[in-house]
Amino acid sequence: MAAASPPASARTPTRNVVIKTEPEADEDLRICPEEVPFKRDPVVPLLAPVSGLQPLAWSQDHRLAVCTTSSVSMMELVCDVHSSQQELTLHRTCIPVPTEAPKLRVGPAAELAEAVGKFSSHPDPSVKQLFLADQVMNPSMGPLKGIKYASWSPLGCDSSGRCLLACLTLDHRLTIHNSHKRLEWNTLVNLTKRYGARLKERGYSKKDNKPPQADLQDFDELQRRFRMQTPLRMEWSSVYTTKQVQPDNSCKDTEMVLLAVLMENGDLVLWKFVLPYLSEADVTFYDIVESGVSRPSDLAWWEYENGERRMSGLIIGSEAGPVKIVPVSLAGVKGYFTLRHPVILWKECDELAVENLKCVPMIHPIQKSSCSLIVASRGCYVFWCLLLISPAGLNVHNSHVAGLHSLPVVSLAISQHGVAVYTCSLDGLMKKLTPTFTENTLIFKQEDLLQSESLSGRRIHGIAVSHNGAYCALASTPGMVGSHHPISRTYQVHFVALKTSEEAAALLLKSPAQNLYKTADLLDLVRWQVLKNKCIPAALLDEVDRKIQEVDSPYLWRFKLFLVRILYQSLQMPPTDHHWKPTHEENKVLVRDEEEEEGEGEEDEDKDDAPLLEVKQEEGNPEQQMEEVQAWINAVETHMMRENMKKVLGVVYLNTWITQNTSIPTCGLVEYLSRDGNDRGSEVLIGHIKNKMNKQTFSERCSLCQAVLPFSDHKQAVCKNGHIWLRCVLSYQACQTLTFRRCLLLDTISRLPQPEEWTKAKYAALGRISRFS
């Protein structure tokens, strides 16, 4: 059945205003414009077929999760400043599927076995066929192996400030995972097991706590108990801040995140995670919401924020077609209001299943107010809904985008930074939809994405877009080969760049995050351009220097240091000889006349001298250039180091009352800053510090030999006995515990904060900068 066509206002708009959520690259930054999208290497092979309806998920910390029949394959995009390779640097790990099959508890084991025997041979064919075809209730079907769905939490949820991963297997096991030191994955909690135990304690009752009237011998009751604890989808909310009362009646701000789990019967189970996640005790049951949707298919969070008005809800899609928003009550969260009633976004039961449900916040360019764009795939069409909250109430504008694909849409991805919707169908065709606002409604600009030769004729199973919209990942298999299916299918993940290097540089310069790690996907495009051309674009460098003159921010200096370091890597010559390879040359001694040997030796010397001199002359310029770049790096590092030293001293001595418990090498920092007599700011700061210190000195000593550690270098400390310790970039104290944090961009380190020291307060003052980027 065909969906409703867009309204007349969408077909004949009176005025069009293209949304400007993404800053465009400046004209002076367009060095060598390229066509986008273009494919990036490498192509990553998968060891098992992909599984699930949405097999790809990209996190905010640049990790791609691929759902397969044997594991969740992880690919982390690493923007390495010490690598001269032009292809993408991907760090691969995986979470294997558990071997033991879970068992859902619906009642006593004896009653369940009796019910299974009864319904497997029931005289009524309608009841018997329903039971035998149900893979959840019928144990003879055997559990399916693989991953059904994966969902990433917002950034900063685990103990190291990264994302948590929720995994749902095909045998209905919902678990939460985190990575330990980027090498292994730990299973934190099994939510399916915990929810099953909670239902058993409540006697498998509904939200009203009324005990069920029937037992397991009733087919409807048996089906209800299985469906009420069978997860279909799960999605994370954003991070909320709540007030927590301490034992001394003081209030403390705590952060939490909610995980909404959509059950097969339409119930929404909410789990509360206290941040940062440390143990299983930080996960508690929050609430259960009865959506009233009998055949749910997909789930998404709707979060609205405009000034002091904030609302939150859950968008539920149905296999029959309707889409609705269910209110979620956020108790204790300041500023959040609750919807009074569910909001119907689409009410037609046209049997077009709602899949790939996404929601993204936007700013209406005409009304200058916050709004929400909701998109989903319904067969061959893309359903969209625009939500506007005005003083008159909630306004809902919805329609469908028709004519995109001739086959059903298998995957849909949305780029939140620079709103764009990407779709792909079974035949491998990809489309890009750009929203365009009119005075009354919304229309979409349609574009065909270019297909490279390596992707033509392949079947795409899913797509995902990186956090900042720089890359698109595609999971594909070979299509028809000569009108025949291939004998064996190979599953691969391709990476396609959606932006040019110039657009990425413009976005980095105007980034509101002011954090290189959070924009690592954009940063990798700039890195690839510098490595490919072996030079920093002059327009980009001039723009960075101009912005530094306007706003002297550490972010711009770190960006400039990154560019110079990548330039240094591009100038290095690749190694010609490998030290690990054995040499097969044999030393032979030839007996000749002394005169012949002397004559041949003189000729060989003459022959060898000329090319050596030529090589030295040719290599003179690259070596000189590398020395200049290295001096450039040292100059930028010195400037950043001095500014950071002044910031550390200012935070410690100008913003605190007690300075006796400080653990920074104050005298060494002061002496180091005093070497530059042209820095007026350092002189003023040092004068204030000396007046406040009252001639108190705190010597820093080596923990091995108790010798005084002189402050001769900002990166390391060396005592007179030769013990070497790295220095913390946050406090410049020597890290003598052998446990410290290292920047993911391989830039700096910091020691772990101690509760009794000022470092903990400094972490709170300077923000969570565990990546120092």
Side-chain angles (χ1 to χ4, degrees):
M1 183 181 297
S5 60
S9 59
R11 295 195 298 266
T12 58
T14 56
R15 184 171 61 131
N16 293 345
V17 180
V18 178
I19 185 172
K20 296 294 183 181
T21 57
E22 177 179 329
E24 296 180 354
D26 298 337
E27 293 297 333
D28 54 353
L29 290 182
R30 295 204 174 271
I31 313 301
C32 50
E34 301 164 342
E35 290 185 353
V36 290
F38 54 92
K39 187 174 171 295
R40 290 292 308 273
D41 290 330
V43 177
V44 182
L46 297 176
L47 301 179
V50 296
S51 61
L53 295 179
Q54 303 175 32
L56 299 182
W58 213 318
S59 68
Q60 295 182 9
D61 57 357
H62 315 292
R63 288 184 288 190
L64 178 68
V66 185
C67 302
T68 67
T69 56
S70 63
S71 65
V72 182
S73 180
M74 302 294 176
M75 305 173 195
E76 181 178 357
L77 177 61
V78 181
C79 191
D80 192 359
V81 295
H82 297 300
S83 174
S84 59
Q85 301 295 327
Q86 294 187 18
E87 58 265 16
L88 294 173
T89 303
L90 300 173
H91 181 229
R92 296 195 63 179
T93 52
C94 72
I95 302 177
V97 176
T99 55
E100 67 278 2
K103 294 182 179 180
L104 298 179
R105 297 181 180 179
V106 294
E111 293 184 12
L112 178 60
E114 184 180 355
V116 170
K118 173 184 177 181
F119 295 119
S120 59
S121 58
H122 199 275
D124 189 353
S126 61
V127 176
K128 179 180 178 181
Q129 291 300 326
L130 283 176
F131 178 80
L132 294 178
D134 197 313
Q135 295 178 341
V136 180
M137 293 190 299
N138 185 12
S140 63
M141 293 288 290
L144 297 177
K145 293 295 183 179
I147 303 297
K148 185 175 184 180
Y149 190 65
S151 178
W152 292 99
S153 74
L155 187 65
C157 289
D158 71 345
S159 57
S160 59
R162 306 200 70 184
C163 298
L164 299 174
L165 178 64
C167 283
L168 177 61
T169 60
L170 289 173
D171 52 9
H172 316 293
R173 186 200 323 257
L174 177 57
T175 52
I176 309 298
H177 305 264
N178 76 331
S179 60
H180 179 65
K181 296 183 179 179
R182 302 176 62 222
L183 297 177
E184 59 179 308
W185 288 86
N186 300 326
T187 302
L188 303 178
V189 59
N190 188 333
L191 294 182
T192 301
K193 184 178 180 180
R194 288 189 60 174
Y195 189 62
R198 184 179 185 275
L199 289 177
K200 181 181 179 181
E201 294 175 358
R202 299 174 63 249
Y204 302 97
S205 62
K206 296 183 179 180
K207 187 177 182 181
D208 54 8
N209 289 329
K210 292 182 180 180
Q213 301 297 325
D215 56 6
L216 296 182
Q217 302 304 317
D218 189 324
F219 182 77
D220 293 336
E221 177 63 21
L222 178 66
Q223 192 177 45
R224 184 190 71 86
R225 293 192 185 186
F226 272 106
R227 287 184 174 181
M228 71 187 306
Q229 55 180 322
T230 304
L232 290 180
R233 291 286 189 276
M234 63 282 179
E235 292 296 338
W236 298 86
S237 70
S238 61
V239 178
Y240 301 115
T241 303
T242 60
K243 295 288 185 180
Q244 184 178 6
V245 181
Q246 302 299 312
D248 57 353
N249 292 330
S250 63
C251 291
K252 178 184 177 182
D253 289 340
T254 59
E255 292 182 339
M256 73 168 188
V257 66
L258 297 178
L259 178 65
V261 183
L262 177 62
M263 297 299 178
E264 192 174 351
N265 66 339
D267 289 348
L268 296 165
V269 181
L270 300 179
W271 296 91
K272 175 184 175 181
F273 288 74
V274 179
L275 304 181
Y277 183 93
L278 299 176
S279 63
E280 191 172 345
D282 294 331
V283 183
T284 57
F285 174 80
Y286 186 77
D287 193 9
I288 183 171
V289 181
E290 295 179 347
S291 66
V293 180
S294 59
R295 297 163 56 191
S297 60
D298 211 341
L299 171 70
W301 276 90
W302 171 70
E303 293 171 328
Y304 172 83
E305 182 176 355
N306 186 13
E308 297 182 355
R309 300 190 63 183
R310 301 175 184 177
M311 292 186 183
S312 184
L314 287 168
I315 311 171
I316 311 297
S318 172
E319 292 182 359
V323 184
K324 64 188 298 186
I325 297 180
V326 179
V328 175
S329 176
L330 297 177
V333 181
K334 184 180 179 181
Y336 270 83
F337 300 88
T338 304
L339 291 173
R340 297 180 180 178
H341 306 285
V343 179
I344 305 299
L345 304 181
W346 184 260
K347 62 180 180 180
E348 300 294 336
C349 296
D350 47 16
E351 295 300 327
L352 289 177
V354 179
E355 298 174 346
N356 304 298
L357 195 57
K358 310 290 182 184
C359 179
V360 59
M362 297 193 306
I363 302 296
H364 200 291
I366 299 177
Q367 300 183 9
K368 307 298 181 183
S369 62
S370 300
C371 59
S372 301
L373 176 63
I374 301 169
V375 294
S377 62
R378 299 180 71 245
C380 300
Y381 310 101
V382 173
F383 167 78
W384 64 267
C385 179
L386 183 65
L387 296 181
L388 291 170
I389 296 182
S390 62
L394 181 63
N395 300 322
V396 179
H397 304 274
N398 56 24
S399 185
H400 288 76
V401 180
L404 282 176
H405 302 282
S406 58
L407 295 177
V409 177
V410 295
S411 185
L412 182 148
I414 187 166
S415 174
Q416 298 187 5
H417 300 273
V419 178
V421 181
Y422 300 90
T423 63
C424 71
S425 61
L426 285 172
D427 54 5
L429 296 180
M430 294 182 60
K431 301 277 187 176
K432 178 182 177 181
L433 303 177
T434 305
T436 303
F437 282 94
T438 66
E439 291 182 348
N440 300 320
T441 183
L442 188 69
I443 61 175
F444 287 88
K445 176 184 176 184
Q446 303 181 16
E447 300 179 44
D448 292 330
L449 293 186
L450 300 178
Q451 293 283 346
S452 61
E453 294 182 357
S454 59
L455 291 177
S456 61
R458 297 186 67 88
R459 179 181 177 182
I460 300 178
H461 293 269
I463 60 175
V465 178
S466 62
H467 179 54
N468 298 283
Y471 289 107
C472 178
L474 304 92
S476 67
T477 53
M480 301 287 287
V481 180
S483 69
H484 296 283
H485 291 285
I487 300 176
S488 61
R489 293 187 181 274
T490 56
Y491 291 81
Q492 297 176 342
V493 176
H494 305 263
F495 293 90
V496 177
L498 300 177
K499 299 182 184 299
T500 63
S501 303
E502 292 76 22
E503 292 174 344
L507 291 173
L508 286 169
L509 292 176
K510 300 176 182 179
S511 172
Q514 296 289 294
N515 189 299
L516 291 182
Y517 174 74
K518 292 182 179 179
T519 56
D521 51 346
L522 297 173
L523 202 64
D524 188 79
L525 284 174
V526 180
R527 167 185 170 272
W528 173 70
Q529 184 189 30
V530 175
L531 289 176
K532 182 179 64 173
N533 300 331
K534 294 187 177 182
C535 67
I536 303 176
L540 174 59
L541 194 58
D542 293 342
E543 186 67 17
V544 173
D545 292 336
R546 185 183 67 83
K547 286 188 173 293
I548 288 178
Q549 294 292 333
E550 295 177 356
V551 182
D552 192 5
S553 66
Y555 168 75
L556 295 175
W557 280 102
R558 283 192 288 268
F559 183 36
K560 184 175 182 179
L561 178 61
F562 176 83
L563 293 175
V564 182
R565 284 176 172 171
I566 295 302
L567 176 61
Y568 183 81
Q569 292 294 330
S570 67
L571 296 177
Q572 290 185 343
M573 299 295 295
T576 55
D577 55 340
H578 302 281
H579 299 286
W580 58 270
K581 286 185 177 181
T583 57
H584 300 284
E585 297 179 357
E586 297 179 358
N587 297 325
K588 297 181 180 180
V589 179
L590 300 178
V591 179
R592 294 184 181 181
D593 296 341
E594 295 181 358
E595 296 181 357
E596 294 179 357
E597 291 178 357
E598 293 177 358
E600 291 178 359
E602 293 177 357
E603 293 179 358
D604 293 339
E605 290 178 0
D606 295 339
K607 293 179 181 179
D608 293 340
D609 286 344
L612 284 175
L613 292 175
E614 292 178 1
V615 170
K616 289 182 179 179
Q617 290 177 0
E618 292 178 358
E619 295 180 353
N621 294 332
E623 292 180 357
Q624 182 180 1
Q625 190 176 4
M626 291 186 64
E627 292 177 359
E628 294 176 356
V629 174
Q630 183 62 50
W632 195 2
I633 294 175
N634 296 336
V636 177
E637 285 183 344
T638 301
H639 174 83
M640 294 180 61
M641 175 266 301
R642 291 182 60 86
E643 293 299 322
N644 192 41
M645 283 184 177
K646 290 187 286 186
K647 185 176 183 180
V648 170
L649 292 174
V651 168
V652 174
Y653 286 97
L654 302 183
N655 297 332
T656 59
W657 291 96
I658 300 175
T659 60
Q660 284 79 7
N661 294 330
T662 57
S663 58
I664 68 171
T666 307
C667 296
L669 292 175
V670 169
E671 181 182 358
Y672 202 89
L673 290 175
S674 302
R675 297 177 184 177
D676 188 0
N678 299 325
D679 194 348
R680 178 60 181 171
S682 298
E683 295 179 2
V684 175
L685 179 62
I686 291 172
H688 286 291
I689 292 174
K690 288 183 177 180
N691 293 333
K692 197 169 186 178
M693 285 180 61
N694 296 323
K695 299 181 180 180
Q696 297 178 6
T697 58
F698 308 95
S699 300
E700 189 178 15
R701 297 184 177 274
C702 178
S703 62
L704 297 179
C705 61
Q706 300 302 317
V708 176
L709 289 174
F711 196 96
S712 57
D713 189 4
H714 67 280
K715 289 187 176 181
Q716 64 181 13
V718 183
C719 70
K720 64 179 181 180
N721 295 323
H723 299 138
I724 302 177
W725 307 98
L726 298 176
R727 288 197 178 273
C728 170
V729 72
L730 296 180
S731 64
Y732 291 103
Q733 186 187 20
C735 299
Q736 304 184 52
T737 60
L738 300 181
T739 57
F740 47 83
R741 299 185 181 186
R742 180 173 293 276
C743 170
L744 288 181
L745 290 177
L746 305 179
D747 187 13
T748 49
I749 67 163
S750 75
R751 67 191 183 98
L752 298 178
Q754 301 296 329
E756 68 277 3
E757 295 181 350
W758 72 273
T759 313
K760 184 177 181 180
K762 185 177 187 300
Y763 266 90
L766 299 182
R768 301 185 66 178
I769 48 177
S770 59
R771 311 189 210 306
F772 324 115
S773 304

